[in-house]
Amino acid sequence: MKNIFDAKATSVLLGRLDKLTHETQPKWGKMSVGQMLAHVNVTYEMAYTDQHSKPNRFMRFMLKTFLKPVVCGEKPYKPNLRTAPAFLQTKPKDFEKEKDRLITYLNKTVELGESYFEQKESNSFGKLTSKEWNNMFYKHIDHHFRQFGV
């Protein structure tokens, strides 16, 4: 797994992002490229803002027990996996706006670095290590970049 906190790895991601256009079509799934970028940005919104509420205790237990190993583990996602309701994007999204937001989030993640994320609380999974945050961030964006052929 590449290190999202490393400027070189993030530079590669930014290069892949730059290959996307508002006309890029997915290899699988129903999202437009703008919706995909908005979808990927939700992960960062959850890390950096209070815009998404935490699940209740029971749901957090379930997520931590059953979903955390999938989301925070090393194994890549398979195409066409179902997503959580907070990540669904059904309305059209402005490609350039979402691209700019993602660039800002990626750069902020590098600037803050691994130490900022060590034992940082996740809305869904509780405290995570910086490695778990890295896996969650990197494999999610990589999955969707592969979905759109970059």
Side-chain angles (χ1 to χ4, degrees):
M1 186 80 49
K2 294 190 177 151
N3 186 349
I4 197 101
F5 305 114
D6 178 71
K8 289 179 185 176
T10 295
S11 178
V12 171
L13 288 175
L14 292 170
R16 290 169 71 186
L17 175 60
D18 205 40
K19 292 178 182 176
L20 294 170
T21 71
H22 70 280
E23 297 173 349
T24 306
Q25 296 298 308
K27 292 181 174 184
W28 71 81
K30 299 175 183 175
M31 288 189 288
S32 70
V33 68
Q35 289 171 323
M36 177 274 288
L37 293 174
H39 167 86
V40 170
N41 280 326
V42 172
T43 305
Y44 294 95
E45 291 168 1
M46 288 182 170
Y48 293 125
T49 74
D50 292 329
Q51 144 180 12
H52 301 275
S53 58
K54 288 183 182 180
N56 65 41
R57 274 185 174 207
F58 176 73
M59 185 56 76
R60 278 184 69 146
F61 171 78
M62 297 300 285
L63 292 169
K64 191 173 182 178
T65 303
F66 297 107
L67 197 58
K68 179 183 172 187
V70 174
V71 172
C72 299
E74 300 270 338
K75 191 174 178 183
Y77 297 131
K78 294 179 182 176
N80 291 313
L81 288 176
R82 294 187 67 187
T83 193
F87 288 81
L88 290 174
Q89 303 295 325
T90 56
K91 295 179 182 174
K93 298 293 180 179
D94 182 309
F95 169 78
E96 291 298 332
K97 178 183 171 189
E98 297 302 332
K99 180 180 175 180
D100 288 345
R101 286 189 338 119
L102 185 54
I103 290 167
T104 299
Y105 284 136
L106 286 168
N107 288 327
K108 181 175 183 172
T109 302
V110 170
E111 288 170 22
L112 290 172
E114 289 181 58
S115 61
Y116 175 82
F117 287 93
E118 190 59 43
Q119 297 304 309
K120 179 174 172 46
E121 182 101 8
S122 157
N123 277 5
S124 300
F125 307 126
K127 290 183 179 181
L128 299 177
T129 66
S130 59
K131 182 176 174 72
E132 289 170 323
W133 279 103
N134 175 70
N135 291 352
M136 180 170 56
F137 284 147
Y138 186 84
K139 89 176 184 181
H140 189 224
I141 196 169
D142 179 65
H143 171 78
H144 289 294
F145 281 5
R146 285 185 289 109
Q147 176 187 15
F148 281 82
V150 296

